[in-house]
Amino acid sequence: MAEQILQLIAELELRPGDRMPTENELAARLGSSRTVVREAVKILSAIGRIRAQKGRGLYVSDDEGMLGSSRWGGFFHPTDLDHVYMLFEFRRVQETAASRLAATRATPAELRAIEAAAETCRHGHLTGQAAVFNRGDDDFHLGIATASHNNFLIASVREARRLQYQSTTIGLHGTVGGHAAEATEEHAAIFQAIRDGDPEAAAQATALHLDNTLEDYRREIQRRVFG
């Protein structure tokens, strides 16, 4: 239902800040119950795609972020495999660059933060705690971006991961995908290359990690959406 609401926003050509149909109108348009629509609205509000104003109704989110993320969200459909591919293509460019820079610029404190995030991610996987895994994953990738000492890379990595979170929430329902075990080992390889001060090895390890993660997303979204 969340994806159907996003598709309706696109069909109606609603822009950030525009008022949306009410929950009753959405239910009628989409042939669903208000209860189902309300749950979808909660999901879309949680991931920043729409906002509910008490007494005023629903609006397309106008939270621009540093790089205008709502403009990205205006065309991004979380379960569209082509869009997921483009997002990972973008992430590959940004994060390999961030890893290269981190390998030459990371401070001891930043290295400790990246290592701790990788360990949190591993712990989340081993204990089956999706929230812990995801928190560690976020901290790991943002930690590397921070260690690049480039504010534009930090912002772009953060905004791209916000969109990926939408795919995880809507397409994968927040679960830890089948790539989680490999991801923890890939994180270790990326960290080692950054710690060793090897920019090319860090970039290559990052590219491999993102390519493998994309393949996991493809499999999971196809299985959940198409059966």
Side-chain angles (χ1 to χ4, degrees):
M1 179 54 62
E3 178 65 10
Q4 288 177 269
I5 293 175
L6 290 180
Q7 289 173 349
L8 180 61
I9 290 172
E11 290 169 6
L12 296 176
E13 298 184 347
L14 298 178
R15 309 307 304 164
D18 285 351
R19 188 170 184 172
M20 293 173 52
T22 65
E23 288 183 356
N24 284 337
E25 290 169 339
L26 288 171
R29 282 175 177 268
L30 300 174
S32 184
S33 70
R34 186 176 177 182
T35 300
V36 172
V37 167
R38 186 179 295 115
E39 289 304 310
V41 166
K42 288 180 181 177
I43 292 172
L44 292 173
S45 296
I47 63 177
R49 292 300 291 267
I50 67 176
R51 56 188 172 85
Q53 292 190 2
K54 191 172 183 180
R56 296 187 60 194
L58 304 175
Y59 292 80
V60 180
S61 177
D62 58 1
D63 177 17
E64 290 295 325
M66 182 174 174
L67 297 180
S69 60
S70 69
R71 285 194 289 271
W72 298 359
F75 65 77
F76 179 73
H77 294 288
T79 57
D80 186 315
L81 290 178
D82 287 337
H83 288 202
V84 172
Y85 174 79
M86 284 190 289
L87 177 62
F88 272 87
E89 189 173 55
F90 176 77
R91 284 192 61 198
R92 200 178 194 275
V93 171
Q94 305 305 317
E95 295 195 39
T96 53
S99 293
R100 281 193 182 94
L101 292 175
T104 62
R105 298 177 178 177
T107 66
E110 288 165 348
L111 287 173
R112 288 193 296 272
I114 295 168
E115 185 177 27
E119 184 53 39
T120 297
C121 205
R122 180 185 294 277
H123 176 70
H125 164 60
L126 292 176
T127 58
Q129 299 180 75
V132 174
F133 178 92
N134 290 334
R135 185 175 71 248
D137 195 40
D138 270 340
D139 290 347
F140 180 80
H141 289 275
L142 289 173
I144 292 172
T146 299
S148 77
H149 294 208
N150 184 305
N151 287 337
F152 290 96
L153 284 174
I154 295 168
S156 64
V157 169
R158 179 181 294 112
E159 299 300 343
R161 288 190 65 80
R162 284 177 61 182
L163 294 185
Q164 182 181 322
Y165 176 65
Q166 295 176 12
S167 284
T168 302
T169 302
I170 296 176
L172 307 184
H173 305 293
T175 61
V176 175
H179 175 238
E182 292 82 359
T184 61
E185 298 305 319
E186 290 160 6
H187 284 171
I190 295 168
F191 170 70
Q192 181 176 339
I194 291 173
R195 183 191 60 195
D196 292 346
D198 190 333
E200 288 310 309
Q204 290 172 11
T206 298
L208 176 64
H209 172 54
L210 291 174
D211 289 346
N212 288 341
T213 304
L214 172 59
E215 184 56 33
D216 183 46
Y217 266 69
R218 280 176 168 161
R219 286 195 305 267
E220 287 294 310
I221 290 177
Q222 285 178 328
R223 182 173 68 83
R224 292 173 182 272
V225 175
F226 303 110

